[in-house]
Amino acid sequence: MAGIFAFAESRDGELRKSAYEVVTAARKLADAMGTEVHAVALGSNGAGAAVGELARYGADKIFVGECDAFEKYSPEGFTLVIATFIKEHGCDAAVFPATVLGKDLAPRVAARLGVDYLSDATALEAEGGSVSITRPRYAGKVFAKSTVTDKPAVVSIRPNVFQPVENAKAGEVESLNVEMGNADFGAVVKEIMAAASEKLDVSEAPIVISGGRGLQSPDNFKLLEELADAFGGKAAVGASRAVVDAGWRPHGDQVGQTGKTVAPTLYIAVGISGAIQHLAGMRTSRFIVAINKDPEAPIFKVADYGIVGDLFQILPRMTEEVRKMMG
Amino acid sequence: MKSIVCVKRVPDTEARIRIAGDGGSIDPSGVKFVLNPYDEFAVEAALKHREGAGQGEVTVISVGDAASAETLRTALAMGADTAVLLKADRAPEGLAAARALAAEIREREYDLVLFGMKAIDDDLQAVGAMTAEILGIPVATAVTEFSVADGRVTAHREIEGGAEVIELRMPCAITLTKGAYEPRYASLKGIMAAKKKPLEEKPANVEGTGAPAMALSLPPERQAGRIVGQGPDAVPELLRLLRTEAKVI
Ligand SMILES: Cc1cc2nc3c(=O)[nH]c(=O)nc-3n(C[C@H](O)[C@H](O)[C@H](O)COP(=O)(O)OP(=O)(O)OC[C@H]3O[C@@H](n4cnc5c(N)ncnc54)[C@H](O)[C@@H]3O)c2cc1C
Ligand SMILES: Nc1ncnc2c1ncn2[C@@H]1O[C@H](COP(=O)(O)O)[C@@H](O)[C@H]1O
């Protein structure tokens, strides 16, 4: 009984939302394969305090590796600890979040284990003793399903797709020895700068409101920010490439083929035409709303609901109505 | 400084993707292929750093079929100095690509190995980190900008809700995303010059095709939904639908 490895990402001593999604996905696989979920969380001393929560989502065992060197992400330290853990414990599958950190870490671990890796999975299934993985290719223009025979199957899962489901297990907490001593790493995270505001990231937010060239100027993005605020901290503001290239919004906000891929529950495209490269980054959103003055704009072809009209009239009204609704 | 840039030939972002008869690959007919957009950032970064230092050499490497030579020529036309095509029946992915690249890179002298953050065909976002791991060199992924000084690279990358600064010991690898390196267009002169630049071809060191067999399917077409109305008066109805029909707010 080798188990399913689940990487629980944390930052500043708090688990990220992705950690619950990863454990949920791992739990489903473990149930199908008749095995256990072994979650691993790494962080600075004291970081383990929060991990008990993972039991509620199905972790049978929770391994916590704490050391000062892990206060920030240590690419090589994390790789070493996890590859060693997997070699020692063995596992059928290793599940990571397809976050910036997860996508950095998972391929390193896979290469070190000498196995392949698939990113951004939207479905995981047990097939016999193997894991079959469904994931987008060509920016979601097709989906590919393959059965991985490598042990372990190393995979990252797309944020917001595997909604956390409670399924409580024992969740025994054990500590991992991760003392790095004076390990000499070639790549070290020197500094982490928090964005000016404590806003949710577009790749993680359940609601994303994106603006395009129709906004006309960077200042007008405050209309989107006000609407996002009205949703009470659940919404993030994204952007099309046109406005990122114009320098109106930071690169990190760009949604699309050369930006972020997002799959929120609700995506609201405001003053965005819906170019194929933009759609590539948001077409798997659960619900799409388009606001555009041009009834022929291609964005309406993928939108569930649309309003045709001037965004400068529509947005203030919408913010007002949402505020009322949210009480 | 010697830089190596790994580049892949991929379908254009506009390409209409159709599934081939075998159900496991795409039908390439009528598809325009280009230098992977993220690899353009990597080529541009290498050129910028060569220009900044006033010296250095940029080598581009691709693992792929004969047509990948064209992609390498594009990079040469942008300004790379030499190119190597590691020939395979088709471009390998994931670990197989990383192994083929590492086998070639290992035989060369280099300070920096640059990659795109991801190839827009397989969307894997892995080959750079895997190649570095096989070579045993440090790597920073999803970098928007980096500087080089005293045998070290300082790289910036965006993380959820912020940014990170990573310091790397050279030789090292970097994978690039959109940021400070807006790719230049090849000039006519560059295109002419590229024809005379060295492009070495040799068989790639790959076993099999790499990734396991895939069954491809098209995503369910998103049906055009409904236009709820015109102008601000449609807002209450939109919110009502989102709450009661879609149940998302
Ligand atoms: C290799 C490559 C990669 C790319 N990657 C990306 C990517 O990752 N993400 C991305 O977004 N794009 C990407 N693009 C660019 C893409 O092709 C489009 O150019 C871009 O998405 C257009 O941005 P937009 O919709 O904001 O602007 P436009 O296409 O100019 O659309 C503006 C829209 O605003 C509407 N509008 C104007 N005024 C108002 C008003 N007052 N009220 C309501 N509506 C109004 C207009 O009707 C129009 O539909 C890429 C392109 C290439 C070639
Ligand atoms: N067949 C290949 N030949 C050369 N470079 C490649 C190849 N496949 C991937 N790469 C490099 O690795 C990066 C990431 O690719 P991927 O992991 O497939 O998304 C690409 O942007 C290229 O820089």
Side-chain angles (χ1 to χ4, degrees), chain B residues 82-151:
Chain B
T82 57
V84 182
L85 171 57
L86 302 172
K87 263 181 141 165
D89 295 340
R90 57 165 133 157
E93 299 179 357
L95 190 60
R99 283 180 170 154
L101 288 167
E104 174 63 26
I105 295 167
R106 192 178 282 130
E107 301 303 318
R108 300 181 160 263
E109 251 181 72
Y110 61 89
D111 303 293
L112 262 186
V113 191
L114 303 182
F115 298 84
M117 179 182 78
K118 72 174 166 188
I120 62 158
D121 53 356
D122 57 40
D123 287 337
L124 196 61
Q125 209 171 320
V127 170
M130 288 181 135
T131 307
E133 182 65 38
I134 295 168
L135 289 169
I137 57 173
V139 53
T141 62
V143 168
T144 52
E145 182 168 19
F146 65 91
S147 58
V148 182
D150 305 329

Side-chain angles (χ1 to χ4, degrees), chain A residues 9 11 16 73 75-76 79 99-101 103-104 107-108 110-112 114-120 135-148 184-195 199 201 203-204 207 231 241 244-245 251-252 254 257-261 265-266 276-277 282-289 300-309 313-314 317-318 321-322 325-326, chain B residues 11-19 26 37-38 41 93-96 99 117-118 120-127 129-131 133-134 137-142 144 152 156-169 177-180 182 210-219 221-236 238-243 245-249:
Chain A
E9 184 176 345
R11 201 191 286 173
R16 311 276 298 170
Y73 172 48
E76 291 165 25
T79 304
T99 53
V100 176
L101 191 157
K103 284 179 160 179
D104 184 90
R108 294 172 192 257
R112 188 148 321 173
V115 296
D116 233 310
Y117 155 70
L118 291 174
S119 60
D120 245 334
R135 62 183 296 276
R137 292 171 67 92
Y138 306 97
K141 289 177 193 168
V142 298
F143 279 76
K145 183 173 175 176
S146 46
T147 302
V148 179
D184 182 24
F185 293 135
V188 176
V189 176
K190 286 284 172 192
E191 202 182 333
I192 298 182
M193 286 99 71
K199 291 266 153 60
D201 191 79
S203 61
E204 298 179 310
I207 300 177
F231 281 110
R241 171 156 169 182
V244 170
D245 284 354
H251 294 300
Q254 183 182 317
Q257 193 148 16
T258 45
K260 289 187 175 149
T261 303
T265 341
L266 175 60
I276 189 158
Q277 299 92 349
M282 43 64 79
R283 68 187 325 148
T284 55
S285 303
R286 199 116 71 81
F287 276 86
I288 298 173
V289 168
F300 286 120
K301 295 210 171 67
V302 300
D304 299 284
Y305 304 119
I307 298 183
V308 177
Q313 293 177 18
I314 296 166
R317 177 75 182 272
M318 194 148 160
E321 298 285 340
V322 171
M325 192 163 94
M326 307 304 273
Chain B
D12 181 58
T13 53
E14 302 269 356
R16 185 158 159 250
I17 300 297
R18 278 160 303 145
I19 297 169
I26 64 153
Y38 287 94
F41 302 140
E93 299 179 357
L95 190 60
R99 283 180 170 154
M117 179 182 78
K118 72 174 166 188
I120 62 158
D121 53 356
D122 57 40
D123 287 337
L124 196 61
Q125 209 171 320
V127 170
M130 288 181 135
T131 307
E133 182 65 38
I134 295 168
I137 57 173
V139 53
T141 62
T144 52
R152 294 193 165 262
H156 288 254
R157 68 170 185 161
E158 282 165 7
I159 58 172
E160 294 85 358
E164 266 175 7
V165 180
I166 304 173
E167 204 173 277
L168 302 102
R169 186 167 57 214
T177 186
K178 190 161 174 272
E182 188 54 40
M214 300 177 276
L216 298 184
S217 60
L218 295 176
E221 273 295 314
R222 267 205 107 96
Q223 299 298 325
R226 80 181 100 135
I227 299 293
V228 176
Q230 315 276 331
D233 293 340
V235 167
L238 172 70
L239 294 179
R240 190 190 67 77
L241 287 170
L242 287 174
R243 172 151 270 189
E245 194 178 85
K247 299 192 171 66
V248 289
I249 57 174

